[in-house]
Amino acid sequence: MEKLFKQITQGIMADLKSGEHLGLSFGGENTTFARINAAKIRQIGNVDEADLGFNYIWNTKCCTGSISLSGNVEEDLKQAQTELNRLREEAQQLPDDPYLVIPDSTETSLNEKFGSLPEPQEVAAKILPAMGQADLTGIWASGRIFQGSSNSAGGYHWFASDSFSLDYSLITPEEKMVKATYGGSNWDQSEYEAFLADSIEKLKLMSLPPKKIEPGDYRTFIASAGVADVLSMFSWGGVSEAAIRQSESSLGKMRNEGAKLSPHFTLSEDFSSGLSPRFNGNGEVAPETTVLINKGLLSQTLVSSRTAKEYGIESNFAAGDEGLRAAVMSAGNLKESEVLKALGTGVYLSNLHYLNWSDMIGGRITGMTRYACFWVENGEIIAPIENMRFDDSLYNMLGEQLEAVTETALVNPDVETYDGRELSATICPGILLKSFSLTL
């Protein structure tokens, strides 16, 4: 794949004329998928695909395009040249872009990460026995993901990584569910079996008679997967500098009114895990770590070069949408083994679902509890709870109501496949809240 990208880059850049600038972005994967139902593999398939994105600039005009690649260099280069000509014609019809960013980075990087993945023919033997008699439905995905960026100034970056994920739900005869994702780059059979055994134990608890709790405020523990869902909201009306300046951010109160979150809460854009590439679509390389919220105080935001140009500030080479690409929440000192004891009596939430802003500017998030969520009394799980809607402010959840943070931050891989498998992941611990608002 890297050879293909390099050959297309060399060929298409040589075709540029005076006054033209071009950025190319490459995305692709070689993936083995397996669909699992009732703990049996029902369907398998392989995806070998690659796409090439164009960011074409002519004088003060800019337009974008993309093509799918076949893997045949001559054919793909011909397609790329056709797309370039199409963009040339389109650009002539467009107005000037006052905040145009010319891709002028000349940095280069080559980052190839090799993991230890089960061979496709080994997958069934590796993952099915541990499921036992459990009713498990899920998707297995494993293989190599590629990402590249190049530009007409000479900048060139390549990132490739091996990874796997098993995203699954365990289901009782009463259709109560436990949901989890096991993922990584190096397969560990013992770790996988222990992870799945923990889910099966939770499923047994889901078979207990459910407890209906009334709307109200409850002492609550949210496990790492649920916290990752909350942090995902920071990529939408959160840490974007443009969103704050355009009054479309939940963090505007921190910038403009001095609002604070808890001293227990620190959020960073941190690429040190190597799970995501540091370069963006313009080939600009972000700092390895950017602390965004430091012990409850807004420290920095994500600033793209376009936003920097528009507002006359310095870019930290965020992605164009200024969303989180490598979110890391700092761990605390609450031991995992003491979570239930520390919770005492209240609600244990393994997952959250269907999150949305109910009041973006006010920082209020709504969503549903789902899957393995329990009522706990005196440090013991008593019963699963019926699904509840929550509606609470991040200034409560991650602010004055945040009592403690677990000492282990877990990797929550992004398993979405809308435009191909994702390279991103959220690394975060669980959180213990003094109060959390369940509304329906």
Side-chain angles (χ1 to χ4, degrees), residues 1-3 5-6 9 13 23-27 52 103-112 146-160 277-286 317 325 423:
M1 287 287 192
E2 202 261 336
K3 182 180 179 181
F5 180 50
K6 184 170 286 186
T9 293
M13 295 302 177
L24 295 177
S25 57
F26 183 100
L52 188 68
D104 58 1
S105 171
T106 58
E107 293 182 272
T108 62
S109 67
L110 181 62
N111 196 342
E112 297 261 8
F146 310 92
Q147 197 163 313
S149 176
S150 63
N151 64 47
S152 49
Y156 182 88
H157 300 279
W158 182 256
F159 182 94
R278 288 171 57 187
F279 58 85
N280 63 16
N282 280 334
E284 301 162 330
V285 180
F317 305 129
R325 292 180 286 159
L423 281 166

mmCIF file of all heavy atoms in Angstrom, residues 1-3 5-6 9 13 23-27 52 103-112 146-160 277-286 317 325 423:
data_model
loop_
_atom_site.group_PDB
_atom_site.id
_atom_site.type_symbol
_atom_site.label_atom_id
_atom_site.label_comp_id
_atom_site.label_asym_id
_atom_site.label_seq_id
_atom_site.Cartn_x
_atom_site.Cartn_y
_atom_site.Cartn_z
ATOM 1 N N MET A 1 0.829 -1.210 0.000
ATOM 2 C CA MET A 1 0.000 0.000 0.000
ATOM 3 C C MET A 1 0.867 1.265 0.000
ATOM 4 O O MET A 1 0.567 2.221 -0.708
ATOM 5 C CB MET A 1 -0.919 0.000 1.229
ATOM 6 C CG MET A 1 -2.065 -0.998 1.152
ATOM 7 S SD MET A 1 -3.345 -0.511 -0.002
ATOM 8 C CE MET A 1 -4.654 -1.653 0.420
ATOM 9 N N GLU A 2 1.925 1.249 0.829
ATOM 10 C CA GLU A 2 2.765 2.447 0.927
ATOM 11 C C GLU A 2 3.449 2.726 -0.402
ATOM 12 O O GLU A 2 3.568 3.882 -0.831
ATOM 13 C CB GLU A 2 3.798 2.255 2.045
ATOM 14 C CG GLU A 2 4.344 3.579 2.586
ATOM 15 C CD GLU A 2 5.691 3.950 1.983
ATOM 16 O OE1 GLU A 2 6.402 3.041 1.536
ATOM 17 O OE2 GLU A 2 6.017 5.149 1.967
ATOM 18 N N LYS A 3 3.885 1.652 -1.087
ATOM 19 C CA LYS A 3 4.517 1.809 -2.399
ATOM 20 C C LYS A 3 3.532 2.413 -3.394
ATOM 21 O O LYS A 3 3.882 3.305 -4.181
ATOM 22 C CB LYS A 3 5.017 0.442 -2.895
ATOM 23 C CG LYS A 3 5.743 0.496 -4.226
ATOM 24 C CD LYS A 3 6.205 -0.896 -4.645
ATOM 25 C CE LYS A 3 6.909 -0.845 -5.999
ATOM 26 N NZ LYS A 3 7.332 -2.205 -6.433
ATOM 27 N N PHE A 5 0.907 4.353 -2.712
ATOM 28 C CA PHE A 5 0.688 5.766 -2.372
ATOM 29 C C PHE A 5 1.857 6.627 -2.827
ATOM 30 O O PHE A 5 1.669 7.719 -3.376
ATOM 31 C CB PHE A 5 0.478 5.891 -0.864
ATOM 32 C CG PHE A 5 0.235 7.309 -0.406
ATOM 33 C CD1 PHE A 5 -0.714 8.104 -1.025
ATOM 34 C CD2 PHE A 5 0.961 7.836 0.656
ATOM 35 C CE1 PHE A 5 -0.945 9.405 -0.591
ATOM 36 C CE2 PHE A 5 0.741 9.135 1.081
ATOM 37 C CZ PHE A 5 -0.201 9.922 0.462
ATOM 38 N N LYS A 6 3.058 6.123 -2.616
ATOM 39 C CA LYS A 6 4.241 6.902 -2.998
ATOM 40 C C LYS A 6 4.295 7.087 -4.515
ATOM 41 O O LYS A 6 4.595 8.187 -5.022
ATOM 42 C CB LYS A 6 5.511 6.201 -2.493
ATOM 43 C CG LYS A 6 6.780 6.982 -2.768
ATOM 44 C CD LYS A 6 7.965 6.363 -2.041
ATOM 45 C CE LYS A 6 7.931 6.634 -0.564
ATOM 46 N NZ LYS A 6 9.129 6.161 0.149
ATOM 47 N N THR A 9 1.668 9.591 -5.540
ATOM 48 C CA THR A 9 2.106 10.928 -5.123
ATOM 49 C C THR A 9 3.117 11.494 -6.113
ATOM 50 O O THR A 9 2.991 12.641 -6.581
ATOM 51 C CB THR A 9 2.729 10.871 -3.713
ATOM 52 O OG1 THR A 9 1.713 10.548 -2.761
ATOM 53 C CG2 THR A 9 3.361 12.207 -3.340
ATOM 54 N N MET A 13 1.894 14.716 -8.426
ATOM 55 C CA MET A 13 2.530 15.996 -8.084
ATOM 56 C C MET A 13 3.314 16.543 -9.285
ATOM 57 O O MET A 13 3.398 17.758 -9.476
ATOM 58 C CB MET A 13 3.459 15.828 -6.882
ATOM 59 C CG MET A 13 2.754 15.448 -5.580
ATOM 60 S SD MET A 13 1.498 16.636 -5.057
ATOM 61 C CE MET A 13 0.860 15.822 -3.579
ATOM 62 N N GLY A 23 -2.897 18.612 -1.733
ATOM 63 C CA GLY A 23 -2.689 17.693 -0.619
ATOM 64 C C GLY A 23 -3.408 16.395 -0.918
ATOM 65 O O GLY A 23 -4.549 16.403 -1.387
ATOM 66 N N LEU A 24 -2.743 15.283 -0.691
ATOM 67 C CA LEU A 24 -3.347 13.965 -0.897
ATOM 68 C C LEU A 24 -3.453 13.243 0.438
ATOM 69 O O LEU A 24 -2.535 13.306 1.264
ATOM 70 C CB LEU A 24 -2.494 13.122 -1.854
ATOM 71 C CG LEU A 24 -2.368 13.601 -3.297
ATOM 72 C CD1 LEU A 24 -1.426 12.672 -4.073
ATOM 73 C CD2 LEU A 24 -3.736 13.643 -3.986
ATOM 74 N N SER A 25 -4.575 12.564 0.640
ATOM 75 C CA SER A 25 -4.730 11.736 1.846
ATOM 76 C C SER A 25 -5.105 10.325 1.419
ATOM 77 O O SER A 25 -5.944 10.132 0.534
ATOM 78 C CB SER A 25 -5.806 12.318 2.763
ATOM 79 O OG SER A 25 -7.038 12.438 2.086
ATOM 80 N N PHE A 26 -4.466 9.364 2.044
ATOM 81 C CA PHE A 26 -4.654 7.956 1.701
ATOM 82 C C PHE A 26 -5.246 7.234 2.908
ATOM 83 O O PHE A 26 -4.797 7.402 4.039
ATOM 84 C CB PHE A 26 -3.299 7.336 1.334
ATOM 85 C CG PHE A 26 -3.356 5.900 0.885
ATOM 86 C CD1 PHE A 26 -3.312 5.582 -0.455
ATOM 87 C CD2 PHE A 26 -3.432 4.871 1.813
ATOM 88 C CE1 PHE A 26 -3.353 4.258 -0.878
ATOM 89 C CE2 PHE A 26 -3.477 3.551 1.406
ATOM 90 C CZ PHE A 26 -3.436 3.239 0.060
ATOM 91 N N GLY A 27 -6.263 6.429 2.663
ATOM 92 C CA GLY A 27 -6.827 5.597 3.726
ATOM 93 C C GLY A 27 -7.147 4.221 3.178
ATOM 94 O O GLY A 27 -7.684 4.096 2.065
ATOM 95 N N LEU A 52 -8.283 7.550 -2.087
ATOM 96 C CA LEU A 52 -7.365 8.681 -2.175
ATOM 97 C C LEU A 52 -8.178 9.970 -2.144
ATOM 98 O O LEU A 52 -9.082 10.167 -2.969
ATOM 99 C CB LEU A 52 -6.558 8.597 -3.477
ATOM 100 C CG LEU A 52 -5.421 9.605 -3.636
ATOM 101 C CD1 LEU A 52 -4.291 9.312 -2.644
ATOM 102 C CD2 LEU A 52 -4.872 9.570 -5.074
ATOM 103 N N PRO A 103 -1.216 23.668 1.946
ATOM 104 C CA PRO A 103 -0.414 22.629 2.601
ATOM 105 C C PRO A 103 1.078 22.828 2.295
ATOM 106 O O PRO A 103 1.548 22.498 1.205
ATOM 107 C CB PRO A 103 -0.950 21.330 1.981
ATOM 108 C CG PRO A 103 -1.545 21.729 0.678
ATOM 109 C CD PRO A 103 -2.044 23.134 0.846
ATOM 110 N N ASP A 104 1.783 23.400 3.263
ATOM 111 C CA ASP A 104 3.189 23.749 3.019
ATOM 112 C C ASP A 104 4.158 23.017 3.944
ATOM 113 O O ASP A 104 5.356 23.308 3.965
ATOM 114 C CB ASP A 104 3.389 25.262 3.161
ATOM 115 C CG ASP A 104 2.970 25.769 4.534
ATOM 116 O OD1 ASP A 104 2.536 24.940 5.369
ATOM 117 O OD2 ASP A 104 3.058 26.987 4.767
ATOM 118 N N SER A 105 3.638 22.056 4.716
ATOM 119 C CA SER A 105 4.530 21.306 5.599
ATOM 120 C C SER A 105 5.479 20.428 4.778
ATOM 121 O O SER A 105 5.063 19.749 3.832
ATOM 122 C CB SER A 105 3.711 20.419 6.539
ATOM 123 O OG SER A 105 4.562 19.549 7.256
ATOM 124 N N THR A 106 6.739 20.458 5.121
ATOM 125 C CA THR A 106 7.731 19.629 4.420
ATOM 126 C C THR A 106 8.211 18.465 5.289
ATOM 127 O O THR A 106 9.171 17.782 4.943
ATOM 128 C CB THR A 106 8.942 20.486 3.995
ATOM 129 O OG1 THR A 106 9.510 21.094 5.167
ATOM 130 C CG2 THR A 106 8.526 21.579 3.021
ATOM 131 N N GLU A 107 7.532 18.264 6.413
ATOM 132 C CA GLU A 107 7.934 17.172 7.316
ATOM 133 C C GLU A 107 7.622 15.818 6.673
ATOM 134 O O GLU A 107 6.690 15.675 5.868
ATOM 135 C CB GLU A 107 7.192 17.279 8.644
ATOM 136 C CG GLU A 107 7.579 18.497 9.463
ATOM 137 C CD GLU A 107 6.843 18.519 10.792
ATOM 138 O OE1 GLU A 107 5.738 19.059 10.836
ATOM 139 O OE2 GLU A 107 7.381 17.974 11.763
ATOM 140 N N THR A 108 8.379 14.833 7.064
ATOM 141 C CA THR A 108 8.141 13.464 6.597
ATOM 142 C C THR A 108 8.205 12.504 7.783
ATOM 143 O O THR A 108 8.874 12.771 8.784
ATOM 144 C CB THR A 108 9.199 13.028 5.556
ATOM 145 O OG1 THR A 108 10.479 13.035 6.177
ATOM 146 C CG2 THR A 108 9.201 13.955 4.348
ATOM 147 N N SER A 109 7.474 11.415 7.660
ATOM 148 C CA SER A 109 7.531 10.379 8.707
ATOM 149 C C SER A 109 7.091 9.049 8.109
ATOM 150 O O SER A 109 6.327 9.000 7.134
ATOM 151 C CB SER A 109 6.631 10.749 9.898
ATOM 152 O OG SER A 109 5.266 10.738 9.524
ATOM 153 N N LEU A 110 7.592 7.994 8.713
ATOM 154 C CA LEU A 110 7.221 6.637 8.311
ATOM 155 C C LEU A 110 7.070 5.823 9.585
ATOM 156 O O LEU A 110 8.035 5.658 10.333
ATOM 157 C CB LEU A 110 8.295 6.034 7.407
ATOM 158 C CG LEU A 110 8.031 4.616 6.898
ATOM 159 C CD1 LEU A 110 6.785 4.558 6.042
ATOM 160 C CD2 LEU A 110 9.241 4.094 6.119
ATOM 161 N N ASN A 111 5.850 5.375 9.852
ATOM 162 C CA ASN A 111 5.577 4.683 11.106
ATOM 163 C C ASN A 111 4.808 3.400 10.806
ATOM 164 O O ASN A 111 3.624 3.428 10.467
ATOM 165 C CB ASN A 111 4.761 5.597 12.023
ATOM 166 C CG ASN A 111 4.757 5.120 13.458
ATOM 167 O OD1 ASN A 111 5.062 3.958 13.729
ATOM 168 N ND2 ASN A 111 4.408 6.005 14.370
ATOM 169 N N GLU A 112 5.469 2.284 10.914
ATOM 170 C CA GLU A 112 4.859 0.978 10.658
ATOM 171 C C GLU A 112 4.827 0.208 11.972
ATOM 172 O O GLU A 112 5.875 -0.085 12.551
ATOM 173 C CB GLU A 112 5.677 0.201 9.616
ATOM 174 C CG GLU A 112 5.732 0.853 8.247
ATOM 175 C CD GLU A 112 4.729 0.231 7.278
ATOM 176 O OE1 GLU A 112 3.909 -0.593 7.735
ATOM 177 O OE2 GLU A 112 4.776 0.570 6.088
ATOM 178 N N PHE A 146 -4.213 1.440 7.093
ATOM 179 C CA PHE A 146 -3.194 2.322 6.513
ATOM 180 C C PHE A 146 -3.713 3.765 6.476
ATOM 181 O O PHE A 146 -4.895 3.999 6.242
ATOM 182 C CB PHE A 146 -2.859 1.900 5.085
ATOM 183 C CG PHE A 146 -2.561 0.438 4.926
ATOM 184 C CD1 PHE A 146 -3.564 -0.457 4.597
ATOM 185 C CD2 PHE A 146 -1.271 -0.046 5.110
ATOM 186 C CE1 PHE A 146 -3.303 -1.806 4.446
ATOM 187 C CE2 PHE A 146 -0.997 -1.397 4.958
ATOM 188 C CZ PHE A 146 -2.013 -2.281 4.627
ATOM 189 N N GLN A 147 -2.812 4.698 6.666
ATOM 190 C CA GLN A 147 -3.162 6.113 6.511
ATOM 191 C C GLN A 147 -1.929 6.862 6.013
ATOM 192 O O GLN A 147 -0.822 6.656 6.525
ATOM 193 C CB GLN A 147 -3.644 6.695 7.844
ATOM 194 C CG GLN A 147 -4.402 7.998 7.678
ATOM 195 C CD GLN A 147 -5.210 8.333 8.929
ATOM 196 O OE1 GLN A 147 -5.907 7.482 9.469
ATOM 197 N NE2 GLN A 147 -5.107 9.553 9.385
ATOM 198 N N GLY A 148 -2.118 7.714 5.009
ATOM 199 C CA GLY A 148 -0.994 8.471 4.465
ATOM 200 C C GLY A 148 -1.395 9.890 4.135
ATOM 201 O O GLY A 148 -2.577 10.208 3.980
ATOM 202 N N SER A 149 -0.410 10.752 4.048
ATOM 203 C CA SER A 149 -0.638 12.151 3.681
ATOM 204 C C SER A 149 0.586 12.650 2.915
ATOM 205 O O SER A 149 1.730 12.348 3.283
ATOM 206 C CB SER A 149 -0.870 12.999 4.939
ATOM 207 O OG SER A 149 -0.992 14.363 4.598
ATOM 208 N N SER A 150 0.328 13.399 1.849
ATOM 209 C CA SER A 150 1.438 14.013 1.102
ATOM 210 C C SER A 150 0.960 15.330 0.534
ATOM 211 O O SER A 150 -0.246 15.586 0.439
ATOM 212 C CB SER A 150 1.908 13.083 -0.032
ATOM 213 O OG SER A 150 0.870 12.877 -0.968
ATOM 214 N N ASN A 151 1.895 16.182 0.193
ATOM 215 C CA ASN A 151 1.496 17.473 -0.382
ATOM 216 C C ASN A 151 2.534 17.945 -1.387
ATOM 217 O O ASN A 151 3.645 17.382 -1.504
ATOM 218 C CB ASN A 151 1.264 18.522 0.713
ATOM 219 C CG ASN A 151 2.519 18.842 1.491
ATOM 220 O OD1 ASN A 151 3.583 19.065 0.905
ATOM 221 N ND2 ASN A 151 2.411 18.877 2.822
ATOM 222 N N SER A 152 2.146 18.980 -2.118
ATOM 223 C CA SER A 152 2.978 19.473 -3.217
ATOM 224 C C SER A 152 4.212 20.221 -2.722
ATOM 225 O O SER A 152 5.097 20.542 -3.525
ATOM 226 C CB SER A 152 2.145 20.383 -4.123
ATOM 227 O OG SER A 152 1.438 21.341 -3.368
ATOM 228 N N ALA A 153 4.285 20.505 -1.404
ATOM 229 C CA ALA A 153 5.480 21.138 -0.851
ATOM 230 C C ALA A 153 6.568 20.119 -0.541
ATOM 231 O O ALA A 153 7.699 20.499 -0.205
ATOM 232 C CB ALA A 153 5.129 21.919 0.416
ATOM 233 N N GLY A 154 6.214 18.841 -0.606
ATOM 234 C CA GLY A 154 7.204 17.797 -0.317
ATOM 235 C C GLY A 154 6.937 17.038 0.970
ATOM 236 O O GLY A 154 7.661 16.090 1.293
ATOM 237 N N GLY A 155 5.924 17.434 1.711
ATOM 238 C CA GLY A 155 5.598 16.713 2.930
ATOM 239 C C GLY A 155 5.088 15.311 2.614
ATOM 240 O O GLY A 155 4.362 15.112 1.634
ATOM 241 N N TYR A 156 5.450 14.355 3.466
ATOM 242 C CA TYR A 156 5.037 12.968 3.207
ATOM 243 C C TYR A 156 4.992 12.210 4.534
ATOM 244 O O TYR A 156 5.950 12.228 5.307
ATOM 245 C CB TYR A 156 6.016 12.287 2.253
ATOM 246 C CG TYR A 156 5.618 10.868 1.894
ATOM 247 C CD1 TYR A 156 4.774 10.613 0.825
ATOM 248 C CD2 TYR A 156 6.075 9.795 2.663
ATOM 249 C CE1 TYR A 156 4.400 9.314 0.506
ATOM 250 C CE2 TYR A 156 5.696 8.494 2.353
ATOM 251 C CZ TYR A 156 4.862 8.264 1.273
ATOM 252 O OH TYR A 156 4.483 6.976 0.967
ATOM 253 N N HIS A 157 3.848 11.554 4.790
ATOM 254 C CA HIS A 157 3.702 10.761 6.018
ATOM 255 C C HIS A 157 3.007 9.442 5.696
ATOM 256 O O HIS A 157 2.088 9.388 4.857
ATOM 257 C CB HIS A 157 2.865 11.514 7.056
ATOM 258 C CG HIS A 157 3.449 12.832 7.464
ATOM 259 N ND1 HIS A 157 4.462 12.942 8.387
ATOM 260 C CD2 HIS A 157 3.165 14.086 7.034
ATOM 261 C CE1 HIS A 157 4.777 14.227 8.537
ATOM 262 N NE2 HIS A 157 4.006 14.937 7.725
ATOM 263 N N TRP A 158 3.419 8.409 6.417
ATOM 264 C CA TRP A 158 2.795 7.087 6.262
ATOM 265 C C TRP A 158 2.680 6.425 7.621
ATOM 266 O O TRP A 158 3.618 6.449 8.420
ATOM 267 C CB TRP A 158 3.621 6.200 5.333
ATOM 268 C CG TRP A 158 2.990 4.852 5.112
ATOM 269 C CD1 TRP A 158 3.369 3.664 5.659
ATOM 270 C CD2 TRP A 158 1.859 4.568 4.278
ATOM 271 N NE1 TRP A 158 2.550 2.662 5.230
ATOM 272 C CE2 TRP A 158 1.614 3.183 4.376
ATOM 273 C CE3 TRP A 158 1.032 5.355 3.464
ATOM 274 C CZ2 TRP A 158 0.566 2.563 3.679
ATOM 275 C CZ3 TRP A 158 -0.005 4.731 2.767
ATOM 276 C CH2 TRP A 158 -0.216 3.354 2.887
ATOM 277 N N PHE A 159 1.491 5.872 7.890
ATOM 278 C CA PHE A 159 1.235 5.195 9.167
ATOM 279 C C PHE A 159 0.468 3.916 8.852
ATOM 280 O O PHE A 159 -0.515 3.925 8.106
ATOM 281 C CB PHE A 159 0.402 6.086 10.079
ATOM 282 C CG PHE A 159 0.112 5.501 11.444
ATOM 283 C CD1 PHE A 159 0.929 5.799 12.520
ATOM 284 C CD2 PHE A 159 -0.975 4.664 11.644
ATOM 285 C CE1 PHE A 159 0.666 5.270 13.781
ATOM 286 C CE2 PHE A 159 -1.249 4.127 12.903
ATOM 287 C CZ PHE A 159 -0.419 4.435 13.971
ATOM 288 N N ALA A 160 0.916 2.805 9.423
ATOM 289 C CA ALA A 160 0.216 1.536 9.254
ATOM 290 C C ALA A 160 0.264 0.767 10.564
ATOM 291 O O ALA A 160 1.273 0.801 11.279
ATOM 292 C CB ALA A 160 0.859 0.716 8.136
ATOM 293 N N PRO A 277 -2.102 8.126 14.175
ATOM 294 C CA PRO A 277 -1.026 8.947 13.612
ATOM 295 C C PRO A 277 -1.130 10.391 14.089
ATOM 296 O O PRO A 277 -2.233 10.905 14.304
ATOM 297 C CB PRO A 277 -1.259 8.842 12.109
ATOM 298 C CG PRO A 277 -2.711 8.538 11.957
ATOM 299 C CD PRO A 277 -3.088 7.706 13.154
ATOM 300 N N ARG A 278 0.015 11.048 14.213
ATOM 301 C CA ARG A 278 0.025 12.446 14.675
ATOM 302 C C ARG A 278 -0.256 13.431 13.551
ATOM 303 O O ARG A 278 -0.585 14.583 13.805
ATOM 304 C CB ARG A 278 1.385 12.769 15.320
ATOM 305 C CG ARG A 278 1.585 12.115 16.679
ATOM 306 C CD ARG A 278 3.020 12.282 17.176
ATOM 307 N NE ARG A 278 3.429 13.666 17.267
ATOM 308 C CZ ARG A 278 4.665 14.068 17.551
ATOM 309 N NH1 ARG A 278 5.598 13.147 17.769
ATOM 310 N NH2 ARG A 278 4.967 15.346 17.620
ATOM 311 N N PHE A 279 -0.107 13.007 12.306
ATOM 312 C CA PHE A 279 -0.294 13.958 11.205
ATOM 313 C C PHE A 279 -1.788 14.069 10.854
ATOM 314 O O PHE A 279 -2.563 13.130 11.008
ATOM 315 C CB PHE A 279 0.526 13.551 9.981
ATOM 316 C CG PHE A 279 0.223 12.182 9.435
ATOM 317 C CD1 PHE A 279 -0.820 11.975 8.543
ATOM 318 C CD2 PHE A 279 0.986 11.085 9.808
ATOM 319 C CE1 PHE A 279 -1.095 10.719 8.030
ATOM 320 C CE2 PHE A 279 0.727 9.814 9.304
ATOM 321 C CZ PHE A 279 -0.318 9.633 8.420
ATOM 322 N N ASN A 280 -2.164 15.264 10.389
ATOM 323 C CA ASN A 280 -3.555 15.485 9.989
ATOM 324 C C ASN A 280 -3.671 15.455 8.463
ATOM 325 O O ASN A 280 -2.726 15.102 7.759
ATOM 326 C CB ASN A 280 -4.079 16.804 10.569
ATOM 327 C CG ASN A 280 -3.320 18.023 10.031
ATOM 328 O OD1 ASN A 280 -2.607 17.929 9.028
ATOM 329 N ND2 ASN A 280 -3.470 19.156 10.694
ATOM 330 N N GLY A 281 -4.822 15.824 7.962
ATOM 331 C CA GLY A 281 -5.067 15.759 6.531
ATOM 332 C C GLY A 281 -4.196 16.684 5.714
ATOM 333 O O GLY A 281 -4.022 16.473 4.508
ATOM 334 N N ASN A 282 -3.650 17.734 6.338
ATOM 335 C CA ASN A 282 -2.744 18.654 5.657
ATOM 336 C C ASN A 282 -1.291 18.218 5.771
ATOM 337 O O ASN A 282 -0.390 18.926 5.312
ATOM 338 C CB ASN A 282 -2.874 20.072 6.229
ATOM 339 C CG ASN A 282 -4.076 20.794 5.658
ATOM 340 O OD1 ASN A 282 -4.526 20.492 4.557
ATOM 341 N ND2 ASN A 282 -4.607 21.745 6.417
ATOM 342 N N GLY A 283 -1.055 17.071 6.434
ATOM 343 C CA GLY A 283 0.312 16.621 6.645
ATOM 344 C C GLY A 283 1.015 17.361 7.768
ATOM 345 O O GLY A 283 2.247 17.267 7.896
ATOM 346 N N GLU A 284 0.258 18.064 8.591
ATOM 347 C CA GLU A 284 0.844 18.783 9.730
ATOM 348 C C GLU A 284 0.917 17.827 10.924
ATOM 349 O O GLU A 284 -0.014 17.051 11.171
ATOM 350 C CB GLU A 284 -0.021 19.992 10.091
ATOM 351 C CG GLU A 284 -0.186 20.977 8.941
ATOM 352 C CD GLU A 284 -1.362 21.908 9.151
ATOM 353 O OE1 GLU A 284 -2.343 21.495 9.802
ATOM 354 O OE2 GLU A 284 -1.318 23.040 8.650
ATOM 355 N N VAL A 285 1.996 17.915 11.675
ATOM 356 C CA VAL A 285 2.221 16.982 12.775
ATOM 357 C C VAL A 285 1.915 17.662 14.112
ATOM 358 O O VAL A 285 2.545 18.664 14.477
ATOM 359 C CB VAL A 285 3.678 16.470 12.776
ATOM 360 C CG1 VAL A 285 3.899 15.493 13.922
ATOM 361 C CG2 VAL A 285 3.993 15.799 11.443
ATOM 362 N N ALA A 286 0.940 17.111 14.831
ATOM 363 C CA ALA A 286 0.546 17.665 16.128
ATOM 364 C C ALA A 286 1.589 17.332 17.189
ATOM 365 O O ALA A 286 2.345 16.363 17.055
ATOM 366 C CB ALA A 286 -0.807 17.092 16.539
ATOM 367 N N PHE A 317 -2.148 22.207 15.034
ATOM 368 C CA PHE A 317 -2.239 21.218 13.964
ATOM 369 C C PHE A 317 -3.268 20.133 14.265
ATOM 370 O O PHE A 317 -3.024 18.934 14.082
ATOM 371 C CB PHE A 317 -0.857 20.621 13.673
ATOM 372 C CG PHE A 317 0.170 21.678 13.366
ATOM 373 C CD1 PHE A 317 1.393 21.713 14.020
ATOM 374 C CD2 PHE A 317 -0.106 22.684 12.439
ATOM 375 C CE1 PHE A 317 2.328 22.705 13.753
ATOM 376 C CE2 PHE A 317 0.823 23.674 12.160
ATOM 377 C CZ PHE A 317 2.038 23.686 12.817
ATOM 378 N N ARG A 325 -8.538 13.057 18.333
ATOM 379 C CA ARG A 325 -8.030 11.896 17.603
ATOM 380 C C ARG A 325 -7.352 10.906 18.531
ATOM 381 O O ARG A 325 -7.173 9.733 18.177
ATOM 382 C CB ARG A 325 -7.023 12.349 16.534
ATOM 383 C CG ARG A 325 -7.641 13.142 15.399
ATOM 384 C CD ARG A 325 -6.604 13.552 14.393
ATOM 385 N NE ARG A 325 -5.755 14.630 14.887
ATOM 386 C CZ ARG A 325 -4.548 14.916 14.404
ATOM 387 N NH1 ARG A 325 -4.022 14.180 13.450
ATOM 388 N NH2 ARG A 325 -3.852 15.938 14.896
ATOM 389 N N LEU A 423 -8.685 4.212 13.272
ATOM 390 C CA LEU A 423 -7.426 4.068 14.010
ATOM 391 C C LEU A 423 -7.523 4.643 15.422
ATOM 392 O O LEU A 423 -6.644 4.432 16.236
ATOM 393 C CB LEU A 423 -6.302 4.788 13.253
ATOM 394 C CG LEU A 423 -5.704 4.036 12.061
ATOM 395 C CD1 LEU A 423 -4.865 4.976 11.223
ATOM 396 C CD2 LEU A 423 -4.881 2.849 12.524
#
